[in-house]
Amino acid sequence: MPSVTGHTERDTRARVARLILEHGPVTASTLGERVGLTPAAIRRHLDALLADGMIEVRKARTPQTRRGRGRPAKWFAITDAGRSAFVHAYDDLATSALRFLAETVGEHAVAEFARRQIADLERRYRPVVQEAPPHQRVRTLAEALSSDGYAAAAAQAPRPGGGEQLCQHHCPVAHVAAEFPQLCEAETEAFSRLLGTPVQRLATIAHGDGICTTHVSPRSLCGTGDEERPLNGDEESGGTSL
């Protein structure tokens, strides 16, 4: 049946791409051995992945990769686009799981899940942020977020009344948060507790903005903020997620 054949082709191609993601750069011969395909078949899948921009050809890494007097073996590596495709697949799975949780247990369960997910990040960041001088805590939080891949930065807020802005140029859960804003809300609450001052989410990548932007109120209006705060989200943070 054509549909079965097409499905099998897609599955095999996805398996080849995953092997390149997990073990690349890797040669066509190695891929063929792992998947059990003939040289012609593996080349067909590699050509398709190259055409789709999922993989790229790398130069031979060492002189030993040359095969006799012939051309050097080609090494195939995953591209950023290929890596993103796998990320989106995981996003789809996470979205389906949260949708099931909301339908079977309720929206409150999604919110609790979001708070638990952010709790580990909050515990890791708390000692680093609290050791920093008060006027450097937003910048310190931005550096901690950047170390986890959020590409964050801190800057003075342009709005009247002062304060600072925490800007995140990357969000690893943006596609999931587009349907479940509880993830953004839990993060906003955690920022408020870590910084010891009210914060307000002004923009999010999940809602189509280019950057996740959080306004941090001036600490001079909010006391010292050095007291330990609970991680379960029961205490009102003063933050608002838009």
Side-chain angles (χ1 to χ4, degrees), residues 113-151:
F113 172 83
R115 285 192 291 267
R116 290 195 180 189
Q117 284 294 105
I118 205 69
D120 177 65
L121 177 146
E122 187 173 351
R123 290 190 184 95
R124 288 191 292 109
Y125 290 178
R126 182 176 293 282
V128 178
V129 173
Q130 291 196 339
E131 285 177 4
H135 66 283
Q136 293 183 2
R137 289 185 177 177
V138 178
R139 186 175 303 276
T140 300
L141 177 56
E143 292 172 352
L145 287 165
S146 292
S147 68
D148 279 340
Y150 288 83

Side-chain angles (χ1 to χ4, degrees), residues 175-216:
H175 290 84
V176 183
E179 182 171 344
F180 296 99
Q182 295 94 327
L183 298 172
C184 297
E185 293 165 4
E187 183 181 75
T188 305
E189 293 169 359
F191 289 169
S192 179
R193 290 191 295 269
L194 285 167
L195 297 171
T197 185
V199 304
Q200 182 181 22
R201 186 59 60 88
L202 303 178
T204 64
I205 296 173
H207 289 173
D209 301 299
I211 304 172
C212 291
T213 306
T214 304
H215 178 261
V216 182

